[in-house]
Amino acid sequence: MPDFSPEDINEIDRLWRSQAWDHMWTGWAAAGERPETVWIFRTLTHWRRFPLTRTATGYALSDDRGNLFREAATLEELLKAVEAVPQLPGTPP
Protein backbone atom coordinates (compact mmCIF):
# COMPACT_ATOMS: atom_id res chain seq x y z
CA MET A 1 0.00 0.00 0.00
CA PRO A 2 1.46 3.42 -0.94
CA ASP A 3 2.25 6.04 1.68
CA PHE A 4 0.63 9.46 1.80
CA SER A 5 2.77 12.15 0.18
CA PRO A 6 3.14 15.63 1.66
CA GLU A 7 0.80 16.79 -1.13
CA ASP A 8 -1.83 14.24 -0.02
CA ILE A 9 -1.56 15.50 3.55
CA ASN A 10 -1.96 19.09 2.36
CA GLU A 11 -5.07 18.08 0.38
CA ILE A 12 -6.59 16.32 3.40
CA ASP A 13 -5.96 19.41 5.51
CA ARG A 14 -7.41 21.70 2.82
CA LEU A 15 -10.57 19.57 2.60
CA TRP A 16 -10.94 19.47 6.37
CA ARG A 17 -10.51 23.25 6.72
CA SER A 18 -13.05 23.89 3.95
CA GLN A 19 -15.86 22.25 5.96
CA ALA A 20 -18.28 24.22 8.12
CA TRP A 21 -17.36 24.47 11.82
CA ASP A 22 -20.21 22.11 12.77
CA HIS A 23 -19.49 19.50 10.08
CA MET A 24 -19.40 15.87 11.24
CA TRP A 25 -15.70 15.63 10.31
CA THR A 26 -14.11 16.96 13.50
CA GLY A 27 -10.43 16.44 12.69
CA TRP A 28 -7.65 14.26 11.40
CA ALA A 29 -4.21 13.07 12.50
CA ALA A 30 -1.13 11.51 10.96
CA ALA A 31 2.40 10.80 12.16
CA GLY A 32 5.54 11.29 10.12
CA GLU A 33 6.38 12.88 6.80
CA ARG A 34 4.97 10.01 4.69
CA PRO A 35 2.42 8.20 6.88
CA GLU A 36 0.81 4.90 5.89
CA THR A 37 -2.43 5.81 7.67
CA VAL A 38 -4.32 9.02 8.35
CA TRP A 39 -6.90 8.89 11.13
CA ILE A 40 -10.15 10.71 10.39
CA PHE A 41 -12.30 11.76 13.35
CA ARG A 42 -16.06 12.30 13.25
CA THR A 43 -18.56 13.29 15.88
CA LEU A 44 -19.65 10.50 18.21
CA THR A 45 -23.16 10.35 16.73
CA HIS A 46 -21.69 9.36 13.39
CA TRP A 47 -18.44 7.45 14.08
CA ARG A 48 -15.53 7.96 16.38
CA ARG A 49 -12.43 7.51 14.23
CA PHE A 50 -11.42 5.51 11.23
CA PRO A 51 -8.25 4.89 9.20
CA LEU A 52 -7.72 6.30 5.73
CA THR A 53 -5.12 4.55 3.58
CA ARG A 54 -3.79 4.91 0.04
CA THR A 55 -4.41 2.26 -2.60
CA ALA A 56 -2.96 1.80 -6.07
CA THR A 57 -6.04 3.54 -7.52
CA GLY A 58 -6.92 6.09 -4.81
CA TYR A 59 -8.00 5.85 -1.19
CA ALA A 60 -9.65 3.36 1.15
CA LEU A 61 -11.55 4.09 4.32
CA SER A 62 -12.13 1.51 7.05
CA ASP A 63 -14.39 1.58 10.07
CA ASP A 64 -12.96 1.83 13.57
CA ARG A 65 -12.69 -1.97 13.70
CA GLY A 66 -10.51 -2.06 10.58
CA ASN A 67 -13.17 -3.37 8.18
CA LEU A 68 -13.02 -1.84 4.71
CA PHE A 69 -15.89 0.60 4.34
CA ARG A 70 -15.38 2.58 1.11
CA GLU A 71 -12.86 3.07 -1.69
CA ALA A 72 -12.66 6.11 -3.95
CA ALA A 73 -10.39 7.53 -6.62
CA THR A 74 -10.28 10.99 -5.00
CA LEU A 75 -10.50 12.43 -1.53
CA GLU A 76 -13.53 14.50 -2.57
CA GLU A 77 -15.41 11.33 -3.60
CA LEU A 78 -14.47 9.69 -0.33
CA LEU A 79 -15.69 12.68 1.69
CA LYS A 80 -19.07 12.50 -0.04
CA ALA A 81 -19.30 8.76 0.72
CA VAL A 82 -18.46 9.38 4.36
CA GLU A 83 -21.07 12.12 4.66
CA ALA A 84 -23.70 9.62 3.48
CA VAL A 85 -23.07 7.29 6.44
CA PRO A 86 -26.04 7.38 8.82
CA GLN A 87 -25.46 8.16 12.45
CA LEU A 88 -25.20 5.34 14.95
CA PRO A 89 -28.54 3.85 16.09
CA GLY A 90 -29.89 5.23 19.35
CA THR A 91 -28.01 8.54 19.23
CA PRO A 92 -29.70 11.92 19.22
CA PRO A 93 -29.49 13.92 15.96
Side-chain angles (χ1 to χ4, degrees):
M1 140 177 50
D3 294 339
F4 285 92
S5 69
E7 294 79 19
D8 292 327
I9 297 299
N10 287 339
E11 179 67 8
I12 291 167
D13 189 59
R14 184 193 66 74
L15 279 170
W16 177 66
R17 291 179 186 279
S18 71
Q19 304 307 309
W21 68 270
D22 59 347
H23 190 267
M24 66 182 70
W25 184 11
T26 61
W28 66 274
E33 186 176 331
R34 297 186 71 84
E36 291 181 9
T37 303
V38 172
W39 289 94
I40 304 294
F41 300 94
R42 283 184 37 172
T43 57
L44 183 60
T45 57
H46 295 279
W47 276 1
R48 291 158 298 287
R49 64 186 172 124
F50 43 94
L52 175 66
T53 54
R54 289 291 318 255
T55 67
T57 58
Y59 303 89
L61 188 69
S62 299
D63 65 18
D64 48 358
R65 292 187 176 158
N67 302 312
L68 180 62
F69 173 69
R70 290 276 196 279
E71 290 186 81
T74 68
L75 288 167
E76 289 88 356
E77 289 175 34
L78 197 60
L79 180 60
K80 289 177 186 167
V82 171
E83 288 173 343
V85 176
Q87 59 188 47
L88 295 172
T91 57

